[in-house]
Amino acid sequence: IFIIIYYILIYKMNYFKEVQYFRQPWLWLVILFFPSFSIYGLFKQLMFGIPVGDNPISNEGVISFSIFIGLGLPILFWFMNLKIRVSKKGLHYQFFPIHLKERLIPFEDISKFKAREYSPVREFGGWGIRYGFESKAYNVKGNKGLQIELNNGRKILFGSQNHKELEKALKKARNY
């Protein structure tokens, strides 16, 4: 029983955990355009027999578009998320569904880190998994995050709604 308690305390202890989702209202206005357009196309072509567009696709194509784009895109964005976790081993992250399993940046690979504000559009061209001029970013919303510099000189920014707490947790876990 002592081994189990030791395992839970040492290896499963999280100093920080955050899960962020794409829930910005402006983004959902854009995303929900696709189901609206696909429903319009379904009714126009299938119910009224009026082909959609100058070079219309088949009825099967309209149905496929409606299922994969009209329904699939909103479902994908609803479940897409960024998970960040700090443990005794280092910084864990997962951008689901791009990363199907959690990734780890061990403390021995991190040379320095700092909580900071940034411009997602100017520095990285937006949100998601982004490549800037000097670094890579994993961000979902907002303009706050934690910049990590690795021993090899690479920089990675992790967007966080609790960037100061994330920085404190990394300091605490690293010095434990």
Side-chain angles (χ1 to χ4, degrees):
I1 190 140
F2 292 112
I3 294 172
I4 295 170
I5 293 171
Y6 177 79
Y7 175 78
I8 291 170
L9 289 175
I10 300 301
Y11 291 102
K12 289 295 183 182
M13 185 173 170
N14 289 324
Y15 292 87
F16 178 88
K17 188 173 184 178
E18 181 180 21
V19 181
Q20 301 173 72
Y21 293 88
F22 287 100
R23 297 293 189 263
Q24 299 89 322
W26 65 267
L27 177 66
W28 281 94
L29 282 174
V30 173
I31 291 170
L32 292 178
F33 166 79
F34 293 99
S36 303
F37 181 72
S38 66
I39 290 170
Y40 166 77
L42 277 173
F43 274 101
K44 188 174 178 184
Q45 189 160 323
L46 298 179
M47 302 297 250
F48 301 116
I50 303 169
V52 178
D54 295 335
N55 188 9
I57 59 176
S58 66
N59 289 347
E60 292 81 13
V62 171
I63 294 169
S64 297
F65 176 84
S66 297
I67 291 171
F68 290 111
I69 302 299
L71 190 61
L73 189 67
I75 289 172
L76 174 72
F77 269 89
W78 185 258
F79 288 104
M80 190 176 287
N81 65 69
L82 172 62
K83 294 177 187 170
I84 303 170
R85 182 170 68 89
V86 177
S87 75
K88 188 67 188 140
K89 294 179 180 183
L91 179 79
H92 306 256
Y93 67 97
Q94 180 182 17
F95 203 102
F96 181 83
I98 311 302
H99 303 141
L100 295 179
K101 51 185 199 173
E102 191 176 77
R103 297 181 177 197
L104 169 68
I105 301 175
F107 283 119
E108 49 270 10
D109 292 350
I110 299 172
S111 64
K112 56 185 172 181
F113 53 88
K114 182 169 179 48
R116 72 177 186 96
E117 290 189 19
Y118 65 100
S119 173
V121 175
R122 234 186 354 244
E123 291 182 52
F124 300 102
W127 293 268
I129 299 175
R130 311 298 292 196
Y131 296 89
F133 293 108
E134 296 181 13
S135 64
K136 185 177 187 177
Y138 295 91
N139 56 12
V140 170
K141 61 183 174 183
N143 66 341
K144 296 177 175 105
L146 184 85
Q147 180 85 48
I148 291 178
E149 188 171 329
L150 303 175
N151 295 331
N152 63 10
R154 278 188 29 206
K155 294 178 184 176
I156 306 171
L157 184 125
F158 291 94
S160 172
Q161 303 308 298
N162 303 300
H163 66 303
K164 296 282 187 186
E165 290 83 5
L166 175 55
E167 181 183 48
K168 287 177 191 172
L170 271 175
K171 286 178 184 175
K172 184 178 179 181
R174 185 180 216 176
N175 296 327
Y176 190 79

PDB file of all heavy atoms in Angstrom, residues 110-118 144-149 155-160 163-168 170-171 174:
ATOM      1  N   ILE A 110      14.453  22.065 -20.659  1.00  0.00           N
ATOM      2  CA  ILE A 110      14.017  23.460 -20.593  1.00  0.00           C
ATOM      3  C   ILE A 110      15.136  24.319 -19.998  1.00  0.00           C
ATOM      4  O   ILE A 110      15.587  24.074 -18.885  1.00  0.00           O
ATOM      5  CB  ILE A 110      12.740  23.590 -19.730  1.00  0.00           C
ATOM      6  CG1 ILE A 110      11.613  22.770 -20.340  1.00  0.00           C
ATOM      7  CG2 ILE A 110      12.344  25.050 -19.573  1.00  0.00           C
ATOM      8  CD1 ILE A 110      10.363  22.682 -19.473  1.00  0.00           C
ATOM      9  N   SER A 111      15.570  25.333 -20.746  1.00  0.00           N
ATOM     10  CA  SER A 111      16.610  26.228 -20.219  1.00  0.00           C
ATOM     11  C   SER A 111      15.994  27.393 -19.445  1.00  0.00           C
ATOM     12  O   SER A 111      16.517  27.797 -18.422  1.00  0.00           O
ATOM     13  CB  SER A 111      17.516  26.746 -21.337  1.00  0.00           C
ATOM     14  OG  SER A 111      16.795  27.539 -22.241  1.00  0.00           O
ATOM     15  N   LYS A 112      14.867  27.958 -19.946  1.00  0.00           N
ATOM     16  CA  LYS A 112      14.181  29.022 -19.209  1.00  0.00           C
ATOM     17  C   LYS A 112      12.732  29.118 -19.677  1.00  0.00           C
ATOM     18  O   LYS A 112      12.373  28.597 -20.725  1.00  0.00           O
ATOM     19  CB  LYS A 112      14.895  30.360 -19.355  1.00  0.00           C
ATOM     20  CG  LYS A 112      15.105  30.855 -20.754  1.00  0.00           C
ATOM     21  CD  LYS A 112      15.942  32.129 -20.752  1.00  0.00           C
ATOM     22  CE  LYS A 112      16.317  32.507 -22.172  1.00  0.00           C
ATOM     23  NZ  LYS A 112      17.138  33.686 -22.238  1.00  0.00           N
ATOM     24  N   PHE A 113      11.928  29.815 -18.883  1.00  0.00           N
ATOM     25  CA  PHE A 113      10.518  30.008 -19.214  1.00  0.00           C
ATOM     26  C   PHE A 113      10.020  31.283 -18.555  1.00  0.00           C
ATOM     27  O   PHE A 113      10.572  31.742 -17.551  1.00  0.00           O
ATOM     28  CB  PHE A 113       9.670  28.804 -18.782  1.00  0.00           C
ATOM     29  CG  PHE A 113       9.832  28.413 -17.343  1.00  0.00           C
ATOM     30  CD1 PHE A 113       9.047  28.995 -16.358  1.00  0.00           C
ATOM     31  CD2 PHE A 113      10.758  27.465 -16.969  1.00  0.00           C
ATOM     32  CE1 PHE A 113       9.191  28.628 -15.031  1.00  0.00           C
ATOM     33  CE2 PHE A 113      10.908  27.074 -15.654  1.00  0.00           C
ATOM     34  CZ  PHE A 113      10.121  27.672 -14.674  1.00  0.00           C
ATOM     35  N   LYS A 114       8.990  31.872 -19.150  1.00  0.00           N
ATOM     36  CA  LYS A 114       8.456  33.126 -18.641  1.00  0.00           C
ATOM     37  C   LYS A 114       7.006  33.301 -19.083  1.00  0.00           C
ATOM     38  O   LYS A 114       6.680  33.100 -20.250  1.00  0.00           O
ATOM     39  CB  LYS A 114       9.282  34.298 -19.153  1.00  0.00           C
ATOM     40  CG  LYS A 114       8.844  35.652 -18.637  1.00  0.00           C
ATOM     41  CD  LYS A 114       9.860  36.711 -18.971  1.00  0.00           C
ATOM     42  CE  LYS A 114       9.480  38.089 -18.503  1.00  0.00           C
ATOM     43  NZ  LYS A 114       9.026  38.235 -17.164  1.00  0.00           N
ATOM     44  N   ALA A 115       6.159  33.698 -18.142  1.00  0.00           N
ATOM     45  CA  ALA A 115       4.778  34.053 -18.461  1.00  0.00           C
ATOM     46  C   ALA A 115       4.806  35.406 -19.161  1.00  0.00           C
ATOM     47  O   ALA A 115       5.562  36.300 -18.774  1.00  0.00           O
ATOM     48  CB  ALA A 115       3.943  34.134 -17.185  1.00  0.00           C
ATOM     49  N   ARG A 116       3.994  35.527 -20.228  1.00  0.00           N
ATOM     50  CA  ARG A 116       3.984  36.806 -20.950  1.00  0.00           C
ATOM     51  C   ARG A 116       2.699  36.987 -21.739  1.00  0.00           C
ATOM     52  O   ARG A 116       1.955  36.046 -21.974  1.00  0.00           O
ATOM     53  CB  ARG A 116       5.178  36.899 -21.882  1.00  0.00           C
ATOM     54  CG  ARG A 116       5.120  36.015 -23.119  1.00  0.00           C
ATOM     55  CD  ARG A 116       6.339  36.266 -24.002  1.00  0.00           C
ATOM     56  NE  ARG A 116       6.310  35.579 -25.263  1.00  0.00           N
ATOM     57  CZ  ARG A 116       5.898  36.113 -26.418  1.00  0.00           C
ATOM     58  NH1 ARG A 116       5.467  37.348 -26.463  1.00  0.00           N
ATOM     59  NH2 ARG A 116       5.930  35.420 -27.528  1.00  0.00           N
ATOM     60  N   GLU A 117       2.464  38.233 -22.142  1.00  0.00           N
ATOM     61  CA  GLU A 117       1.385  38.540 -23.063  1.00  0.00           C
ATOM     62  C   GLU A 117       1.980  38.560 -24.464  1.00  0.00           C
ATOM     63  O   GLU A 117       3.152  38.883 -24.639  1.00  0.00           O
ATOM     64  CB  GLU A 117       0.745  39.881 -22.719  1.00  0.00           C
ATOM     65  CG  GLU A 117      -0.045  39.834 -21.422  1.00  0.00           C
ATOM     66  CD  GLU A 117      -0.866  41.085 -21.169  1.00  0.00           C
ATOM     67  OE1 GLU A 117      -1.124  41.849 -22.133  1.00  0.00           O
ATOM     68  OE2 GLU A 117      -1.243  41.289 -20.016  1.00  0.00           O
ATOM     69  N   TYR A 118       1.172  38.218 -25.449  1.00  0.00           N
ATOM     70  CA  TYR A 118       1.651  38.162 -26.829  1.00  0.00           C
ATOM     71  C   TYR A 118       0.509  38.520 -27.765  1.00  0.00           C
ATOM     72  O   TYR A 118      -0.652  38.610 -27.350  1.00  0.00           O
ATOM     73  CB  TYR A 118       2.211  36.771 -27.153  1.00  0.00           C
ATOM     74  CG  TYR A 118       1.178  35.670 -27.131  1.00  0.00           C
ATOM     75  CD1 TYR A 118       0.625  35.197 -28.312  1.00  0.00           C
ATOM     76  CD2 TYR A 118       0.747  35.107 -25.941  1.00  0.00           C
ATOM     77  CE1 TYR A 118      -0.331  34.192 -28.296  1.00  0.00           C
ATOM     78  CE2 TYR A 118      -0.211  34.109 -25.917  1.00  0.00           C
ATOM     79  CZ  TYR A 118      -0.743  33.657 -27.097  1.00  0.00           C
ATOM     80  OH  TYR A 118      -1.692  32.676 -27.081  1.00  0.00           O
ATOM     81  N   LYS A 144      -2.425  35.524 -23.576  1.00  0.00           N
ATOM     82  CA  LYS A 144      -1.490  35.275 -22.484  1.00  0.00           C
ATOM     83  C   LYS A 144      -0.982  33.851 -22.586  1.00  0.00           C
ATOM     84  O   LYS A 144      -1.708  32.955 -23.006  1.00  0.00           O
ATOM     85  CB  LYS A 144      -2.170  35.503 -21.137  1.00  0.00           C
ATOM     86  CG  LYS A 144      -2.595  36.935 -20.936  1.00  0.00           C
ATOM     87  CD  LYS A 144      -3.320  37.115 -19.630  1.00  0.00           C
ATOM     88  CE  LYS A 144      -3.618  38.575 -19.434  1.00  0.00           C
ATOM     89  NZ  LYS A 144      -4.988  38.917 -19.667  1.00  0.00           N
ATOM     90  N   GLY A 145       0.268  33.660 -22.185  1.00  0.00           N
ATOM     91  CA  GLY A 145       0.821  32.323 -22.269  1.00  0.00           C
ATOM     92  C   GLY A 145       2.143  32.194 -21.559  1.00  0.00           C
ATOM     93  O   GLY A 145       2.606  33.116 -20.886  1.00  0.00           O
ATOM     94  N   LEU A 146       2.761  31.059 -21.726  1.00  0.00           N
ATOM     95  CA  LEU A 146       4.059  30.768 -21.138  1.00  0.00           C
ATOM     96  C   LEU A 146       5.025  30.444 -22.266  1.00  0.00           C
ATOM     97  O   LEU A 146       4.786  29.532 -23.046  1.00  0.00           O
ATOM     98  CB  LEU A 146       3.964  29.574 -20.186  1.00  0.00           C
ATOM     99  CG  LEU A 146       5.272  29.265 -19.466  1.00  0.00           C
ATOM    100  CD1 LEU A 146       5.381  30.132 -18.222  1.00  0.00           C
ATOM    101  CD2 LEU A 146       5.362  27.812 -19.106  1.00  0.00           C
ATOM    102  N   GLN A 147       6.100  31.234 -22.345  1.00  0.00           N
ATOM    103  CA  GLN A 147       7.136  31.039 -23.356  1.00  0.00           C
ATOM    104  C   GLN A 147       8.210  30.147 -22.745  1.00  0.00           C
ATOM    105  O   GLN A 147       8.735  30.443 -21.681  1.00  0.00           O
ATOM    106  CB  GLN A 147       7.755  32.372 -23.756  1.00  0.00           C
ATOM    107  CG  GLN A 147       8.834  32.268 -24.805  1.00  0.00           C
ATOM    108  CD  GLN A 147       8.256  32.257 -26.202  1.00  0.00           C
ATOM    109  OE1 GLN A 147       7.426  33.075 -26.516  1.00  0.00           O
ATOM    110  NE2 GLN A 147       8.693  31.339 -27.022  1.00  0.00           N
ATOM    111  N   ILE A 148       8.516  29.058 -23.426  1.00  0.00           N
ATOM    112  CA  ILE A 148       9.558  28.131 -22.969  1.00  0.00           C
ATOM    113  C   ILE A 148      10.696  28.179 -23.973  1.00  0.00           C
ATOM    114  O   ILE A 148      10.465  28.166 -25.179  1.00  0.00           O
ATOM    115  CB  ILE A 148       9.006  26.693 -22.875  1.00  0.00           C
ATOM    116  CG1 ILE A 148       8.002  26.604 -21.740  1.00  0.00           C
ATOM    117  CG2 ILE A 148      10.122  25.686 -22.675  1.00  0.00           C
ATOM    118  CD1 ILE A 148       7.381  25.250 -21.601  1.00  0.00           C
ATOM    119  N   GLU A 149      11.920  28.239 -23.456  1.00  0.00           N
ATOM    120  CA  GLU A 149      13.086  28.121 -24.326  1.00  0.00           C
ATOM    121  C   GLU A 149      13.788  26.822 -23.975  1.00  0.00           C
ATOM    122  O   GLU A 149      14.085  26.550 -22.816  1.00  0.00           O
ATOM    123  CB  GLU A 149      14.033  29.300 -24.158  1.00  0.00           C
ATOM    124  CG  GLU A 149      15.142  29.280 -25.196  1.00  0.00           C
ATOM    125  CD  GLU A 149      15.976  30.551 -25.214  1.00  0.00           C
ATOM    126  OE1 GLU A 149      15.438  31.616 -24.907  1.00  0.00           O
ATOM    127  OE2 GLU A 149      17.176  30.435 -25.540  1.00  0.00           O
ATOM    128  N   LYS A 155      12.040  27.825 -29.212  1.00  0.00           N
ATOM    129  CA  LYS A 155      11.085  28.446 -28.294  1.00  0.00           C
ATOM    130  C   LYS A 155       9.688  27.926 -28.614  1.00  0.00           C
ATOM    131  O   LYS A 155       9.317  27.781 -29.779  1.00  0.00           O
ATOM    132  CB  LYS A 155      11.101  29.963 -28.449  1.00  0.00           C
ATOM    133  CG  LYS A 155      12.396  30.599 -28.028  1.00  0.00           C
ATOM    134  CD  LYS A 155      12.345  32.093 -28.247  1.00  0.00           C
ATOM    135  CE  LYS A 155      13.684  32.728 -27.909  1.00  0.00           C
ATOM    136  NZ  LYS A 155      13.667  34.170 -28.204  1.00  0.00           N
ATOM    137  N   ILE A 156       8.938  27.662 -27.556  1.00  0.00           N
ATOM    138  CA  ILE A 156       7.553  27.207 -27.699  1.00  0.00           C
ATOM    139  C   ILE A 156       6.696  28.033 -26.754  1.00  0.00           C
ATOM    140  O   ILE A 156       7.019  28.166 -25.571  1.00  0.00           O
ATOM    141  CB  ILE A 156       7.393  25.710 -27.362  1.00  0.00           C
ATOM    142  CG1 ILE A 156       8.355  24.857 -28.175  1.00  0.00           C
ATOM    143  CG2 ILE A 156       5.957  25.266 -27.595  1.00  0.00           C
ATOM    144  CD1 ILE A 156       8.400  23.407 -27.742  1.00  0.00           C
ATOM    145  N   LEU A 157       5.605  28.572 -27.280  1.00  0.00           N
ATOM    146  CA  LEU A 157       4.677  29.329 -26.452  1.00  0.00           C
ATOM    147  C   LEU A 157       3.407  28.505 -26.265  1.00  0.00           C
ATOM    148  O   LEU A 157       2.855  27.986 -27.241  1.00  0.00           O
ATOM    149  CB  LEU A 157       4.326  30.659 -27.110  1.00  0.00           C
ATOM    150  CG  LEU A 157       3.427  31.516 -26.221  1.00  0.00           C
ATOM    151  CD1 LEU A 157       4.030  32.873 -25.999  1.00  0.00           C
ATOM    152  CD2 LEU A 157       2.043  31.622 -26.780  1.00  0.00           C
ATOM    153  N   PHE A 158       2.973  28.374 -25.022  1.00  0.00           N
ATOM    154  CA  PHE A 158       1.732  27.685 -24.703  1.00  0.00           C
ATOM    155  C   PHE A 158       0.740  28.717 -24.196  1.00  0.00           C
ATOM    156  O   PHE A 158       0.975  29.343 -23.168  1.00  0.00           O
ATOM    157  CB  PHE A 158       1.953  26.607 -23.629  1.00  0.00           C
ATOM    158  CG  PHE A 158       2.771  25.452 -24.119  1.00  0.00           C
ATOM    159  CD1 PHE A 158       4.142  25.431 -23.923  1.00  0.00           C
ATOM    160  CD2 PHE A 158       2.176  24.403 -24.787  1.00  0.00           C
ATOM    161  CE1 PHE A 158       4.903  24.373 -24.388  1.00  0.00           C
ATOM    162  CE2 PHE A 158       2.930  23.344 -25.261  1.00  0.00           C
ATOM    163  CZ  PHE A 158       4.300  23.332 -25.052  1.00  0.00           C
ATOM    164  N   GLY A 159      -0.345  28.920 -24.948  1.00  0.00           N
ATOM    165  CA  GLY A 159      -1.378  29.830 -24.497  1.00  0.00           C
ATOM    166  C   GLY A 159      -2.022  29.298 -23.234  1.00  0.00           C
ATOM    167  O   GLY A 159      -2.229  28.094 -23.086  1.00  0.00           O
ATOM    168  N   SER A 160      -2.306  30.200 -22.297  1.00  0.00           N
ATOM    169  CA  SER A 160      -2.911  29.791 -21.040  1.00  0.00           C
ATOM    170  C   SER A 160      -3.746  30.938 -20.487  1.00  0.00           C
ATOM    171  O   SER A 160      -3.323  32.090 -20.528  1.00  0.00           O
ATOM    172  CB  SER A 160      -1.832  29.413 -20.020  1.00  0.00           C
ATOM    173  OG  SER A 160      -2.400  29.186 -18.750  1.00  0.00           O
ATOM    174  N   HIS A 163      -1.664  32.028 -17.051  1.00  0.00           N
ATOM    175  CA  HIS A 163      -0.242  31.972 -17.380  1.00  0.00           C
ATOM    176  C   HIS A 163       0.678  32.206 -16.180  1.00  0.00           C
ATOM    177  O   HIS A 163       1.732  31.595 -16.085  1.00  0.00           O
ATOM    178  CB  HIS A 163       0.080  32.923 -18.531  1.00  0.00           C
ATOM    179  CG  HIS A 163      -0.084  34.372 -18.220  1.00  0.00           C
ATOM    180  ND1 HIS A 163      -1.256  34.917 -17.765  1.00  0.00           N
ATOM    181  CD2 HIS A 163       0.797  35.385 -18.314  1.00  0.00           C
ATOM    182  CE1 HIS A 163      -1.103  36.212 -17.581  1.00  0.00           C
ATOM    183  NE2 HIS A 163       0.140  36.526 -17.917  1.00  0.00           N
ATOM    184  N   LYS A 164       0.279  33.047 -15.241  1.00  0.00           N
ATOM    185  CA  LYS A 164       1.112  33.303 -14.048  1.00  0.00           C
ATOM    186  C   LYS A 164       1.139  32.060 -13.144  1.00  0.00           C
ATOM    187  O   LYS A 164       2.183  31.708 -12.612  1.00  0.00           O
ATOM    188  CB  LYS A 164       0.591  34.509 -13.264  1.00  0.00           C
ATOM    189  CG  LYS A 164       0.664  35.814 -14.022  1.00  0.00           C
ATOM    190  CD  LYS A 164       2.059  36.358 -14.029  1.00  0.00           C
ATOM    191  CE  LYS A 164       2.056  37.747 -14.648  1.00  0.00           C
ATOM    192  NZ  LYS A 164       3.373  38.287 -14.830  1.00  0.00           N
ATOM    193  N   GLU A 165      -0.016  31.416 -12.992  1.00  0.00           N
ATOM    194  CA  GLU A 165      -0.085  30.198 -12.170  1.00  0.00           C
ATOM    195  C   GLU A 165       0.708  29.065 -12.817  1.00  0.00           C
ATOM    196  O   GLU A 165       1.355  28.282 -12.124  1.00  0.00           O
ATOM    197  CB  GLU A 165      -1.540  29.766 -11.958  1.00  0.00           C
ATOM    198  CG  GLU A 165      -2.333  30.686 -11.063  1.00  0.00           C
ATOM    199  CD  GLU A 165      -2.892  31.914 -11.789  1.00  0.00           C
ATOM    200  OE1 GLU A 165      -2.740  32.017 -13.030  1.00  0.00           O
ATOM    201  OE2 GLU A 165      -3.473  32.770 -11.114  1.00  0.00           O
ATOM    202  N   LEU A 166       0.667  29.009 -14.142  1.00  0.00           N
ATOM    203  CA  LEU A 166       1.449  28.004 -14.869  1.00  0.00           C
ATOM    204  C   LEU A 166       2.938  28.219 -14.635  1.00  0.00           C
ATOM    205  O   LEU A 166       3.677  27.262 -14.369  1.00  0.00           O
ATOM    206  CB  LEU A 166       1.113  28.062 -16.359  1.00  0.00           C
ATOM    207  CG  LEU A 166       1.907  27.165 -17.310  1.00  0.00           C
ATOM    208  CD1 LEU A 166       1.848  25.709 -16.904  1.00  0.00           C
ATOM    209  CD2 LEU A 166       1.386  27.342 -18.740  1.00  0.00           C
ATOM    210  N   GLU A 167       3.381  29.456 -14.683  1.00  0.00           N
ATOM    211  CA  GLU A 167       4.793  29.773 -14.428  1.00  0.00           C
ATOM    212  C   GLU A 167       5.190  29.390 -13.000  1.00  0.00           C
ATOM    213  O   GLU A 167       6.237  28.768 -12.780  1.00  0.00           O
ATOM    214  CB  GLU A 167       5.032  31.267 -14.662  1.00  0.00           C
ATOM    215  CG  GLU A 167       6.482  31.690 -14.442  1.00  0.00           C
ATOM    216  CD  GLU A 167       6.659  33.191 -14.620  1.00  0.00           C
ATOM    217  OE1 GLU A 167       5.861  33.966 -14.049  1.00  0.00           O
ATOM    218  OE2 GLU A 167       7.607  33.581 -15.321  1.00  0.00           O
ATOM    219  N   LYS A 168       4.345  29.717 -12.026  1.00  0.00           N
ATOM    220  CA  LYS A 168       4.623  29.363 -10.626  1.00  0.00           C
ATOM    221  C   LYS A 168       4.692  27.848 -10.443  1.00  0.00           C
ATOM    222  O   LYS A 168       5.554  27.339  -9.723  1.00  0.00           O
ATOM    223  CB  LYS A 168       3.547  29.943  -9.703  1.00  0.00           C
ATOM    224  CG  LYS A 168       3.628  31.430  -9.515  1.00  0.00           C
ATOM    225  CD  LYS A 168       2.478  31.916  -8.639  1.00  0.00           C
ATOM    226  CE  LYS A 168       2.374  33.416  -8.656  1.00  0.00           C
ATOM    227  NZ  LYS A 168       1.167  33.909  -7.966  1.00  0.00           N
ATOM    228  N   LEU A 170       5.486  25.582 -12.697  1.00  0.00           N
ATOM    229  CA  LEU A 170       6.731  25.069 -13.289  1.00  0.00           C
ATOM    230  C   LEU A 170       7.917  25.317 -12.365  1.00  0.00           C
ATOM    231  O   LEU A 170       8.770  24.445 -12.196  1.00  0.00           O
ATOM    232  CB  LEU A 170       6.993  25.728 -14.645  1.00  0.00           C
ATOM    233  CG  LEU A 170       6.377  25.047 -15.858  1.00  0.00           C
ATOM    234  CD1 LEU A 170       6.609  25.865 -17.114  1.00  0.00           C
ATOM    235  CD2 LEU A 170       6.911  23.654 -16.047  1.00  0.00           C
ATOM    236  N   LYS A 171       7.979  26.502 -11.775  1.00  0.00           N
ATOM    237  CA  LYS A 171       9.067  26.804 -10.834  1.00  0.00           C
ATOM    238  C   LYS A 171       9.034  25.856  -9.641  1.00  0.00           C
ATOM    239  O   LYS A 171      10.060  25.313  -9.236  1.00  0.00           O
ATOM    240  CB  LYS A 171       8.968  28.253 -10.343  1.00  0.00           C
ATOM    241  CG  LYS A 171       9.383  29.272 -11.357  1.00  0.00           C
ATOM    242  CD  LYS A 171       9.217  30.690 -10.814  1.00  0.00           C
ATOM    243  CE  LYS A 171       9.558  31.712 -11.879  1.00  0.00           C
ATOM    244  NZ  LYS A 171       9.311  33.083 -11.453  1.00  0.00           N
ATOM    245  N   ARG A 174       9.895  22.190 -10.704  1.00  0.00           N
ATOM    246  CA  ARG A 174      11.301  22.072 -11.086  1.00  0.00           C
ATOM    247  C   ARG A 174      12.217  22.063  -9.865  1.00  0.00           C
ATOM    248  O   ARG A 174      13.230  21.362  -9.845  1.00  0.00           O
ATOM    249  CB  ARG A 174      11.677  23.233 -11.998  1.00  0.00           C
ATOM    250  CG  ARG A 174      13.053  23.142 -12.543  1.00  0.00           C
ATOM    251  CD  ARG A 174      13.335  24.332 -13.424  1.00  0.00           C
ATOM    252  NE  ARG A 174      14.159  23.901 -14.532  1.00  0.00           N
ATOM    253  CZ  ARG A 174      14.515  24.674 -15.526  1.00  0.00           C
ATOM    254  NH1 ARG A 174      14.109  25.911 -15.585  1.00  0.00           N
ATOM    255  NH2 ARG A 174      15.272  24.211 -16.473  1.00  0.00           N
TER     256      ARG A 174
END
